Amino acid sequence: MAAALERSYIEICGFERETVPRFREVTVDLGLPAPPGGIKFPDSAGAFHYEESSKLLSVTSNRFIHWSTSGDTVQLVETSLDTNLLNNAVKLHFAHCTVLPGGVAIQETLNNILILITTNQSVHRLLLPHPTCMYRSELVTELHMQSIFTDVGKLNLQDAAHSAIIPSMPHTGSHPGSPNAAAAWLTHEGGAHYALASPTGGIVIVTLPPQGTPGGVVVVELKRSSMIQRLSGWMPSAIRGDQSPADLVVGLAVRELEDDSFIFALCHDHRLRMWSLREQACLLEVDMLDYMPACKGVKRLAGQGHRLRLAFSATTGLCLGIYLAVPQRGQFTVLQLVATDNNRYSLDHISSLFSSQETLVDFTLTSTDIWGLWVDDANATVIKYINFEHNVAGQWNQVFVQPAPEDEVHIGVDQDPRETYLEVLFSPLRFTAAAIVKALQIYRRGSDGFTDVSWENLKKEVTVAVESELQSSVTEFEFSQEDYHQLQVEFWSKFYACCLQYQEALATPLGLTVSTHTTMACLLKKGSVSFLLPCFAVDHLYLSYDEYLLSEEETLLTEDPELGRDVLQLVQCLRLVSDAVSVEMAYEMEKALEQVESPERTADRILENLLSNDNDNVIEDVQNKLQDVRNPAAAMMVLLREMDLETDSEVGGDAPIIPGQTLNMRISLSQLYGSNSAVSLVCQAVSHMAMTRALFCRDLLILQKLYLRFGDNVFLGGGAQLLQLQQDLIPRSAHLLSSYYLLKHMGQTLTSAVPIDTIDANLQHLTALELSDTPTLHSSAAALSPQTVVELFYQTVARRLIVSQIFSQGQSAHLHWPDVISAMVNLLAQLLWPSNPGFQFPGCLMANCQYTQLQEYVRLIGPWCQVNIGSCRFMLAQCYLANGEGHKAVQCFQEAATEVEKEEFLMRLTGSSDDDEASTTPRLQYYNKVLRLLEDVGLPELVIQLASLAITEAFRDVSSQAALWTRIFKHHLDLGHNSEAYEALTQNPDSSMQLDCLRQLVVVLCERSQLQDLVQFSYVNLHDEVVSIIESRARGLDLLAHNYYELLYAFHINRHNYRKAGTVMFEFGMRLGREVRTHLGLQKQVNCYLAALNCLRLIRQEYAWIVQPASGAVYERPGTSPKRNSDGEFVSEPVKHQVDILEISDLEKEYILARSRLTLAQHHPPSAAIAGSASAVEMVSLLVQTGLFDSAFCLCQSFKLSLTSVFEGLTFKCIKLQFGGEESQNEAWSWLAANQLSSVVNTKDSSATDEAWRLLAAYLDRYPNTNGVHHRCVISKLLSHGVPLPDWLVKSYKEVDAAALLRLYLNYDLLDAAAELVVEYVDALLGKGHQYFGIQMPLSTTAAPVWLPYTSIDQLLQALNDTQTNTSVYSKVRDKLADYHQLLRQTTKMRLAAR
């Protein structure tokens, strides 16, 4: 419901709490001498409101300039409630001059703002740009704007265009030549007129030509004689005689009408005179005493305190307000100027109003009202206003001014004096920074330098100053706790009194201003500006002064007159209760609310205290007044209903764009009341309302308890009303009291500075919750310093919602101050109200990292607020998370889950556009969001805990269960809880997710080298999947970087599946040989083949086989996309090859081949690259080249290859050594060492060549051949290179195959050696040395038959016969053959004969 507004107003201080305002100081020195005697005028103030300040779309909306004068100084400040103005304060010093009363006037033209200043010796004109001309576009979207005073320092104010010296005033001996009043105005042509009150009674008009127009200063004196000549015959009879001091002007006012300037002068003789500047004559003179009843004796009084004001409007025309300063009965008279025929004028009396106040400081006249500002005998500010035409018996309306801070601070026994005083001093509503800085300077005996100190640093400076003073005064080293406490109170109260003194000086009232455009009223003080806001009806009742309250007969709270009287009577009782509540009692209630104790029980204790200490019979007076309340329950209900800010609808909603609103309108609305001044103003108004109503509810609660005590004695309704009081009204009062205390507390709670890393972390949290669109913390340049949490909320969230709400109905763009500001305050209070469904305020605190303040908020509303319980628990959880208390956070998250489907904030939190999440229940969506948040924070244990709880909620939702089990698995795995991770994997109902988890388990445990755990898990119903995963990983990843083949081998070994284990290792070995052609790869390959052999030897012979993996095949993994060729067509399926079965013997061959490769790589590393893919035959060649003959022989035997190539290679190396130099000898030792010799010869004469020949001989002995192939190839190799045959070789080959040796000799034309061999061979057959040719028995009758290679011998003989040089050899062979043939014949005959 819209809050009812009374006719009264309330003052809200507009000062910002940051450091002392910075004025740019400009001195204007025209070279004038200081006047004799030193003229002193009282300080004054005034304001100028832009013509379009009430237009929403204007750049000057809610914008005004106010000034104050003091001696030779004028302070000018431009203020806006919509945007922050930069460089908006300037202080002008006029050397040796004194600014006159009324000596400052500001007027605006289309392009300029002109400031006209009058001093006692000079006049000045400042020409500044109009705000509408300062910005390039009409759409001003910046949060900060330049003030019109930005470039004031560039003006040459000493120039003739800006300043002029007033010619000396005419004076007599008794009247010094200095004016005492002034008025200034601008003509239509642009000229500036300055009217000065002449000390001799006339008026001097000083005129400056229009800006840029040549010409000098024009001075015109309006004299009394011209007036007499002009007005003879119809002037009032009061004008008589010559000029006299009684004609001295005390008040001047000017109005331009119809191309003429009318100057109104109020004089010492109580007469009002109207002068025409054009005619330079007095057109009208009125004796104001004619309008004052019972004016006897007044004529003799000087009219020094008289005041004159003008007001003009289109409806009422020009009205004059005259205040006649008469002791004890000051009078305001309102006259209307009426034009008659022939340019004659008269004044019609509109109203006369009286005031009993003593000292009028200022008053202002509007088209309907008179506003007055007084200072009473106690130097307290009094403001009242009245409609001068429509009022009730001349009764003035109240304006409740802000009381000065308390003279003393109540310090409880359990309170720290320093903390308490600092809290009071730096509370947002009490002291300005300027007052504290000034007090600090005095306290420190004149040291300064605090003008740029921040609020927090100022607090530290104050603490240091007071504590230092305390320490320096202490002479004893030991104190009792009580003595030290008292000493602290003494020194802090001293500093507090100093602050009070300067705060009071800065709060001195100087003037009033009321805008004719917006009706905004402001109180202008020495150090700040206060705004006057309309007072809500319920606050009006509680704040009204007794004389007003007693005279009230009706209230806006109800239309029923009887009920209205009951309400007024009840409020009078409340006032009595309020007066009776002592400071200690009030403090007790304050502490109870702070400690979240029951307000009802505290009210009972306060009531007991009141009853036991009722020395003034207050309770009796209350009881008597209560007798006059006919229906107290209904009256209380009216008050409670009016104070309850609970609403059904959410304020602002989503702030939709209203149809028909232009871009200009939306931009203007986005800035409305957005400046720091407006933020401070609106939020202070809410805080003040909260403080007032908290006291109201406290007193009402005490009064209700008193009703219960009195019972039927005061309740005419009897038991039914008592029951209603006990069950409904008292709980509601207690609830409202707690709510308003909460608003008051939040309005005084300052925000905390937030480190950038905390902001980043908070943004990450909000993103996880999908709340990142929540407004974030404003930059420090845009925010108040220091800033309360309510101000933060207003700036970031509330103002947009409130403005949208106010202008949602398409209201006019006219800004009417009482309506708009009261709506702003009321709607902000509703947004803060804890019982409303909207949860924007705690959300704002969370978004801006104000965790301590948010915890305090939740603590204060916990016991009594039943709205947004779950949301509060959620916010508290966020605070715990930010503070690192994760377990507490999870507990709060669990508690909030029960309210997910009931509270708007939590419903918005669980709202999701994700189709997968949309199908789940809100509670599961909530858990998912929270789990995501906990994951982002990095609390896996708590994720597991909460996910386990969430599974119980998802008993019907298989997909959610699967997702939660997957989450649990992931975090167990991350934490290294392998068994728990495996358990979570087995519980997952979704097979695809289960497979993903299984794959992740395998990969992670492999990376951590926790293979024991991985192998030992049972994998019930998942065995094949595990094998498939490990196989696919093994085949798809780098062989050396990962050990998946070893894992798979261990997996099969652990399950005694040796054949699969062997298959895995054989495949591993194959791939190593194909892909990793390095020494390490070859080493691994050898080990793999050994492991495969071991596996097959562990099983029975018939099962000791494996299927050979396809060589070079691409292993397809499940789910892979079909492959395409370069033309984009699908690749055809590879042709399926026949399956190859490998037995142990085949594996042994592969092992030996691999070992040979490794041996080669060890002795000749460059060969590793080619050895990996070399076949057995190729490997033999490579081994022979490297000199690894042992390995070569072994490989040949394993693969049943001929040894000939090996022997040939060794023979060639022997030949090279035979004819090589020392270098080849040295190189030979390396490969000789790699082969195992049958015996070792350790002689100094042994060379590498000798060792090589010995190695060859050893191999010929080790690998014999029945037909001497090996010997033959060796000899053939030697003979082909022309190397003489070693004797040992010839000897050994003779035993094997002498005929073959003969043929070799013949082939290589070694006829002598062949002839010698034939001779030796024939001798052996004849019985001489037959054992050297492997002949068992020589030729004899009893021995076995023997033979000769006759073909070779014939070839030899033929060759010898053909050679002339070998005749002797030929003869020798012939003779030896003849001997053989002779014996052969004999033997043959004997053999035949024996038969």
Side-chain angles (χ1 to χ4, degrees):
M1 58 175 288
L5 292 176
E6 268 288 356
R7 295 183 303 276
S8 59
Y9 279 73
I10 186 168
E11 178 199 358
I12 301 296
C13 296
F15 62 80
E16 297 178 13
R17 296 176 304 280
E18 47 198 11
T19 52
V20 183
R22 299 185 184 91
F23 286 90
R24 286 181 302 152
E25 301 198 10
V26 178
T27 300
V28 182
D29 190 351
L30 301 180
L32 293 168
I39 304 167
K40 181 69 175 176
F41 296 112
D43 295 349
S44 63
F48 161 76
H49 298 267
Y50 290 95
E51 187 173 345
E52 293 189 346
S53 59
S54 65
K55 294 184 179 179
L56 181 62
L57 299 177
S58 172
V59 75
T60 58
S61 63
N62 287 317
R63 188 163 170 175
F64 64 99
I65 301 169
H66 60 91
W67 67 83
S68 63
T69 67
S70 179
D72 65 345
T73 303
V74 177
Q75 290 186 169
L76 294 153
V77 180
E78 186 179 20
T79 301
S80 172
L81 296 180
D82 293 350
T83 54
N84 295 320
L85 299 177
L86 303 176
N87 305 307
N88 65 323
V90 63
K91 184 181 291 186
L92 303 176
H93 298 277
F94 300 96
H96 307 304
C97 296
T98 303
V99 181
L100 297 178
V104 180
I106 301 179
Q107 288 185 246
E108 65 179 313
T109 63
L110 193 60
N111 298 317
N112 296 104
I113 299 294
L114 287 99
I115 301 176
L116 308 178
I117 301 174
T118 311
T119 73
N120 62 332
Q121 298 190 78
S122 59
V123 293
H124 305 268
R125 172 175 58 190
L126 278 71
L127 186 69
L128 301 173
H130 196 279
T132 55
C133 302
M134 292 181 64
Y135 312 106
R136 296 180 180 178
S137 170
E138 292 182 0
L139 303 180
V140 180
T141 59
E142 293 84 0
L143 190 61
H144 295 85
M145 296 169 61
Q146 293 292 341
S147 166
I148 63 169
F149 297 126
T150 298
D151 297 328
V152 73
K154 298 179 181 179
L155 298 177
N156 183 9
L157 299 183
Q158 281 79 226
D159 188 71
H162 295 104
S163 301
I165 299 173
I166 301 173
S168 58
M169 289 283 186
H171 60 89
T172 64
S174 60
H175 301 291
S178 177
N180 60 354
W185 70 101
L186 202 65
T187 65
H188 294 301
E189 295 80 14
H193 293 307
Y194 303 84
L196 295 89
S198 172
T200 59
I203 301 174
V204 176
I205 308 297
V206 180
T207 303
L208 294 180
Q211 191 79 15
T213 302
V217 177
V218 177
V219 180
V220 174
E221 187 175 2
L222 301 181
K223 297 182 180 180
R224 178 75 175 277
S225 58
S226 63
M227 173 193 69
I228 296 174
Q229 294 168 5
R230 186 74 180 228
L231 303 178
S232 59
W234 65 273
M235 283 179 54
S237 59
I239 299 179
R240 59 190 183 275
D242 298 327
Q243 297 179 4
S244 67
D247 299 331
L248 183 67
V249 176
V250 295
L252 282 171
V254 180
R255 179 71 191 183
E256 268 204 310
L257 291 172
E258 301 174 358
D259 297 329
D260 193 5
S261 296
F262 295 104
I263 303 163
F264 298 89
L266 186 60
C267 304
H268 266 210
D269 58 1
H270 318 296
R271 293 176 178 275
L272 176 68
R273 298 179 173 90
M274 185 179 82
W275 295 79
S276 167
L277 179 60
R278 186 177 60 189
E279 302 292 336
Q280 296 186 13
C282 182
L283 304 183
L284 184 62
E285 180 175 343
V286 177
D287 187 351
M288 294 307 301
L289 296 183
D290 293 344
Y291 302 103
M292 176 175 282
C295 61
K296 184 178 180 180
V298 176
K299 290 185 179 183
R300 294 191 298 272
L301 299 174
Q304 292 180 351
H306 296 344
R307 302 294 177 94
L308 172 63
R309 297 289 183 268
L310 297 184
F312 179 84
S313 70
T315 55
T316 60
L318 183 64
C319 290
L320 288 78
I322 298 96
Y323 175 74
L324 299 176
V326 178
Q328 304 300 325
R329 50 191 181 94
Q331 175 180 321
F332 292 91
T333 304
V334 181
L335 305 174
Q336 184 178 19
L337 183 66
V338 178
T340 61
D341 297 337
N342 302 321
N343 286 335
R344 293 193 176 187
Y345 296 89
S346 63
L347 292 172
D348 286 354
H349 179 260
I350 302 297
S351 177
S352 290
L353 304 162
F354 301 93
S355 172
S356 60
Q357 301 296 332
E358 282 295 325
T359 307
L360 179 74
V361 177
D362 188 23
F363 84 96
T364 187
L365 180 70
T366 71
S367 59
T368 57
D369 300 317
I370 294 176
W371 291 73
L373 169 63
W374 293 267
V375 174
D376 64 11
D377 296 335
N379 205 31
T381 302
V382 177
I383 306 174
K384 292 185 285 188
Y385 82 99
I386 191 170
N387 187 305
F388 53 74
E389 286 192 281
H390 309 289
N391 55 69
V392 180
Q395 182 173 343
W396 293 71
N397 296 304
Q398 303 170 91
V399 176
F400 307 113
V401 297
Q402 288 286 354
E406 302 86 352
D407 291 339
E408 295 181 0
V409 178
H410 176 77
I411 305 292
V413 180
D414 57 337
Q415 288 182 298
D416 180 18
R418 178 176 62 184
E419 293 298 326
T420 306
Y421 272 101
L422 284 175
E423 183 179 348
V424 173
L425 284 170
F426 291 90
S427 171
L429 297 177
R430 289 186 172 90
F431 291 90
T432 62
I436 298 174
V437 167
K438 190 66 177 175
L440 188 57
Q441 290 172 346
I442 298 301
Y443 200 79
R444 285 187 164 180
R445 297 170 181 83
S447 62
D448 54 12
F450 305 111
T451 54
D452 293 329
V453 173
S454 68
W455 191 255
E456 283 301 317
N457 288 338
L458 186 59
K459 184 183 291 189
K460 294 177 183 176
E461 292 285 347
V462 168
T463 306
V464 170
V466 178
E467 293 294 326
S468 300
E469 189 77 11
L470 187 152
Q471 298 294 336
S472 64
S473 67
V474 171
T475 57
E476 301 179 18
F477 293 100
E478 293 186 5
F479 284 97
S480 67
Q481 191 72 27
E482 294 77 13
D483 291 343
Y484 185 70
H485 185 274
Q486 187 59 39
L487 201 61
Q488 277 188 306
V489 170
E490 178 184 337
F491 278 87
W492 277 102
S493 61
K494 177 182 174 184
F495 180 78
Y496 181 77
C498 200
C499 291
L500 274 178
Q501 178 183 349
Y502 287 105
Q503 183 66 34
E504 183 179 351
L506 290 173
T508 303
L510 300 180
L512 271 176
T513 176
V514 179
S515 170
T516 58
H517 313 293
T518 63
T519 68
M520 177 175 70
C522 297
L523 171 61
L524 307 174
K525 300 181 180 181
K526 191 176 183 66
S528 60
V529 176
S530 292
F531 295 85
L532 305 183
L533 277 63
C535 191
F536 295 105
V538 67
D539 302 337
H540 165 82
L541 290 177
Y542 191 75
L543 296 172
S544 287
Y545 303 113
D546 290 336
E547 62 269 20
Y548 286 90
L549 188 60
L550 293 172
S551 64
E552 294 268 5
E553 294 184 357
E554 59 181 15
T555 175
L556 295 175
L557 299 179
T558 176
E559 296 178 357
D560 185 349
E562 292 290 336
L563 186 56
R565 280 191 288 274
D566 283 350
V567 169
L568 292 171
Q569 197 71 22
L570 194 66
V571 171
Q572 293 177 26
C573 297
L574 286 175
R575 296 291 292 273
L576 292 173
V577 172
S578 177
D579 295 338
V581 174
S582 65
V583 175
E584 290 77 12
M585 297 179 197
Y587 175 73
E588 184 177 357
M589 177 62 80
E590 190 87 6
K591 293 301 291 183
L593 292 169
E594 183 184 350
Q595 300 300 328
V596 206
E597 298 174 3
S598 169
E600 298 179 35
R601 285 196 290 271
T602 310
D604 285 330
R605 291 198 298 271
I606 293 175
L607 180 59
E608 292 295 336
N609 196 318
L610 287 175
L611 292 172
S612 60
N613 298 292
D614 187 19
N615 299 325
D616 299 328
N617 296 322
V618 174
I619 301 301
E620 185 178 344
D621 294 341
V622 172
Q623 185 174 5
N624 293 334
K625 281 188 174 293
L626 289 179
Q627 300 284 355
D628 298 332
V629 181
R630 301 181 182 183
N631 191 344
M636 292 178 189
M637 187 64 73
V638 168
L639 293 172
L640 293 174
R641 186 178 65 246
E642 185 65 24
M643 286 190 290
D644 194 347
L645 298 177
E646 186 172 343
T647 60
D648 297 330
S649 60
E650 186 175 351
V651 175
D654 294 330
I657 295 177
I658 301 160
Q661 274 193 355
T662 62
L663 177 62
N664 293 27
M665 172 69 81
R666 292 200 297 274
I667 290 177
S668 297
L669 288 177
S670 71
Q671 295 178 310
L672 185 65
Y673 292 108
S675 71
N676 288 352
S677 299
V679 172
S680 177
L681 171 66
V682 175
C683 296
Q684 284 189 41
V686 171
S687 296
H688 192 275
M689 179 181 78
M691 286 189 287
T692 302
R693 296 189 182 183
L695 295 175
F696 197 126
C697 295
R698 178 201 69 187
D699 298 339
L700 181 59
L701 187 59
I702 296 171
L703 186 65
Q704 289 169 338
K705 292 291 184 178
L706 191 60
Y707 259 117
L708 285 182
R709 179 67 63 95
F710 291 152
D712 293 337
N713 295 332
V714 294
F715 261 104
L716 301 178
Q721 286 204 356
L722 283 174
L723 186 64
Q724 181 188 4
L725 179 68
Q726 191 167 10
Q727 295 185 350
D728 180 28
L729 299 180
I730 289 180
R732 286 186 65 179
S733 298
H735 186 277
L736 287 179
L737 174 57
S738 298
S739 298
Y740 277 113
Y741 175 78
L742 175 71
L743 263 63
K744 167 191 168 185
H745 184 78
M746 289 294 111
Q748 297 177 355
T749 302
L750 298 178
T751 57
S752 305
V754 184
I756 191 66
D757 55 342
T758 305
I759 296 176
D760 294 339
N762 184 54
L763 186 59
Q764 182 182 359
H765 297 178
L766 296 177
T767 304
L769 296 171
E770 297 180 13
L771 291 175
S772 54
D773 58 336
T774 304
T776 53
L777 191 66
H778 274 206
S779 64
S780 59
L784 288 172
S785 174
Q787 190 180 37
T788 67
V789 291
V790 173
E791 288 167 343
L792 172 67
F793 172 60
Y794 175 81
Q795 271 189 313
T796 56
V797 177
R799 189 183 61 82
R800 176 180 58 85
L801 298 175
I802 292 169
V803 170
S804 172
Q805 176 86 357
I806 294 174
F807 291 89
S808 60
Q809 307 303 322
Q811 278 102 331
S812 166
H814 179 77
L815 299 174
H816 185 246
W817 168 258
D819 296 338
V820 178
I821 194 65
S822 58
M824 297 285 289
V825 171
N826 192 55
L827 290 174
L828 177 58
Q830 287 182 7
L831 283 171
L832 293 168
W833 196 249
S835 299
N836 281 334
F839 201 62
Q840 293 94 340
F841 179 59
C844 170
L845 295 182
M846 178 186 73
N848 290 279
C849 310
Q850 302 300 311
Y851 301 117
T852 305
Q853 295 82 344
L854 183 54
Q855 280 181 277
E856 178 69 3
Y857 176 86
V858 174
R859 182 187 73 84
L860 288 175
I861 70 170
W864 50 268
C865 183
Q866 301 304 312
V867 179
N868 292 317
I869 297 174
S871 302
C872 286
R873 303 311 294 172
F874 181 85
M875 290 298 177
L876 191 58
Q878 283 282 86
C879 297
Y880 285 140
L881 270 188
N883 295 331
E885 300 178 275
H887 290 283
K888 291 183 180 179
V890 168
Q891 181 65 33
C892 291
F893 281 134
Q894 293 178 16
E895 294 169 0
T898 58
E899 308 295 323
V900 164
E901 300 176 31
K902 305 173 186 175
E903 298 178 10
E904 185 175 348
F905 173 79
L906 294 177
M907 286 192 286
R908 183 162 62 92
L909 180 71
T910 56
S912 173
S913 58
D914 191 338
D915 293 337
D916 295 336
E917 287 196 9
S919 60
T920 61
T921 63
R923 195 172 294 188
L924 282 176
Q925 293 179 34
Y926 167 78
Y927 279 126
N928 284 334
K929 290 279 181 72
V930 174
L931 289 171
R932 202 175 305 153
L933 173 62
L934 293 175
E935 287 172 342
D936 283 352
V937 176
L939 298 172
E941 299 96 336
L942 303 182
V943 173
I944 294 169
Q945 178 184 339
L946 195 61
S948 302
L949 178 67
I951 287 175
T952 61
E953 298 282 343
F955 60 93
R956 294 181 181 176
D957 191 340
V958 175
S959 61
S960 295
Q961 281 187 20
L964 291 168
W965 279 118
T966 301
R967 230 180 200 121
I968 294 173
F969 160 81
K970 173 185 178 298
H971 291 290
H972 272 312
L973 188 60
D974 291 343
L975 292 170
H977 305 161
N978 299 339
S979 299
E980 291 83 353
Y982 173 74
E983 184 65 28
L985 179 152
T986 58
Q987 296 291 330
N988 201 315
D990 188 295
S991 58
S992 63
M993 287 189 176
Q994 192 179 49
L995 195 59
D996 291 339
C997 294
L998 187 61
R999 185 176 294 107
Q1000 190 175 358
L1001 179 71
V1002 170
V1003 172
V1004 170
L1005 292 187
C1006 282
E1007 290 175 350
R1008 295 179 186 164
S1009 300
Q1010 295 176 333
L1011 305 180
Q1012 186 72 23
D1013 289 348
L1014 184 60
V1015 168
Q1016 289 184 347
F1017 290 139
S1018 59
Y1019 299 110
V1020 178
N1021 299 325
L1022 293 172
H1023 181 276
D1024 293 341
E1025 286 79 0
V1026 175
V1027 173
S1028 175
I1029 290 169
I1030 301 177
E1031 281 182 351
S1032 65
R1033 300 287 296 181
R1035 291 168 179 169
L1037 297 175
D1038 184 8
L1039 292 174
L1040 295 182
H1042 302 85
N1043 57 350
Y1044 287 104
Y1045 277 109
E1046 286 99 329
L1047 171 63
L1048 194 56
Y1049 170 75
F1051 185 85
H1052 289 311
I1053 289 293
N1054 192 61
R1055 285 156 179 74
H1056 308 292
N1057 195 339
Y1058 299 117
R1059 188 162 67 183
K1060 283 191 175 181
T1063 304
V1064 168
M1065 295 314 288
F1066 185 73
E1067 180 181 331
F1068 189 21
M1070 283 181 60
R1071 286 192 60 198
L1072 284 169
R1074 189 167 58 244
E1075 300 174 23
V1076 188
R1077 298 178 180 180
T1078 63
H1079 178 270
L1080 179 61
L1082 293 173
Q1083 179 68 58
K1084 279 183 167 287
Q1085 187 182 36
V1086 169
N1087 294 338
C1088 289
Y1089 288 156
L1090 268 177
L1093 278 170
N1094 289 339
C1095 289
L1096 292 186
R1097 287 181 176 133
L1098 290 173
I1099 56 181
R1100 292 194 314 193
Q1101 184 68 30
E1102 59 267 30
Y1103 299 114
W1105 53 267
I1106 63 173
V1107 176
Q1108 181 176 8
S1111 177
V1114 176
Y1115 298 100
E1116 295 289 341
R1117 290 186 293 274
T1120 55
S1121 61
K1123 306 305 177 191
R1124 300 172 185 265
N1125 59 19
S1126 59
D1127 297 328
E1129 299 176 355
F1130 289 107
V1131 178
S1132 59
E1133 289 289 329
V1135 178
K1136 303 296 183 181
H1137 296 282
Q1138 184 177 357
V1139 175
D1140 293 331
I1141 301 299
L1142 299 179
E1143 298 180 343
I1144 290 181
S1145 58
D1146 301 317
L1147 263 65
E1148 287 176 342
K1149 288 181 180 179
E1150 292 295 330
Y1151 166 70
I1152 292 172
L1153 179 58
R1155 193 178 63 189
S1156 301
R1157 292 169 178 159
L1158 177 61
T1159 305
L1160 176 63
Q1162 288 172 339
H1163 287 83
H1164 189 251
S1167 302
I1170 56 174
S1173 59
S1175 64
V1177 176
E1178 294 169 338
M1179 275 303 302
V1180 170
S1181 299
L1182 293 172
L1183 291 169
V1184 169
Q1185 290 175 15
T1186 313
L1188 301 174
F1189 297 104
D1190 280 348
S1191 299
F1193 282 119
C1194 180
L1195 190 60
C1196 289
Q1197 286 187 316
S1198 299
F1199 284 87
K1200 296 182 173 55
L1201 300 177
S1202 171
L1203 303 180
T1204 302
S1205 61
V1206 183
F1207 281 105
E1208 286 180 350
L1210 181 55
T1211 304
F1212 182 70
K1213 284 187 176 292
C1214 291
I1215 295 170
K1216 287 177 64 178
L1217 285 174
Q1218 186 79 33
F1219 298 100
E1222 185 178 354
E1223 183 179 354
S1224 61
Q1225 293 282 326
N1226 294 334
E1227 292 177 353
W1229 284 113
S1230 62
W1231 62 263
L1232 284 170
N1235 298 283
Q1236 297 180 356
L1237 296 177
S1238 57
S1239 61
V1240 179
V1241 178
N1242 292 320
T1243 61
K1244 293 182 180 179
D1245 298 333
S1246 177
S1247 65
T1249 305
D1250 297 337
E1251 291 299 311
W1253 287 114
R1254 277 200 330 111
L1255 183 63
L1256 179 60
Y1259 283 141
L1260 287 173
D1261 291 340
R1262 191 183 303 169
Y1263 302 107
N1265 192 277
T1266 54
N1267 54 5
V1269 173
H1270 302 157
H1271 287 75
R1272 184 166 62 247
C1273 73
V1274 171
I1275 293 172
S1276 176
K1277 193 72 172 177
L1278 291 172
L1279 294 178
S1280 65
H1281 286 80
V1283 179
L1285 298 181
D1287 291 341
W1288 62 267
L1289 180 60
V1290 174
K1291 180 181 177 182
S1292 64
Y1293 195 33
K1294 282 193 297 186
E1295 292 182 8
V1296 177
D1297 192 353
L1301 179 61
L1302 176 60
R1303 287 192 290 274
L1304 287 173
Y1305 282 157
L1306 291 175
N1307 288 340
Y1308 292 99
D1309 292 333
L1310 299 175
L1311 299 181
D1312 292 342
E1316 185 178 354
L1317 177 62
V1318 170
V1319 172
E1320 290 179 359
Y1321 188 58
V1322 172
D1323 286 341
L1325 290 176
L1326 294 177
K1328 181 182 178 181
H1330 62 85
Q1331 67 273 14
Y1332 298 115
F1333 284 87
I1335 299 173
Q1336 298 295 327
M1337 292 292 290
L1339 180 63
S1340 66
T1341 306
T1342 58
V1346 296
W1347 65 280
L1348 276 175
Y1350 285 108
T1351 303
S1352 299
I1353 293 173
D1354 290 342
Q1355 293 174 350
L1356 174 64
L1357 291 173
Q1358 181 65 35
L1360 291 173
N1361 188 33
D1362 293 341
T1363 305
Q1364 298 298 325
T1365 59
N1366 292 320
T1367 53
S1368 60
V1369 176
Y1370 176 77
S1371 299
K1372 185 179 179 180
V1373 173
R1374 295 268 311 173
D1375 293 344
K1376 185 58 70 176
L1377 284 174
D1379 294 343
Y1380 171 71
H1381 289 146
Q1382 180 65 31
L1383 181 60
L1384 183 60
R1385 281 193 295 270
Q1386 292 175 3
T1387 305
T1388 302
K1389 288 178 181 180
M1390 292 175 68
R1391 176 72 61 87
L1392 292 172
R1395 287 183 179 177

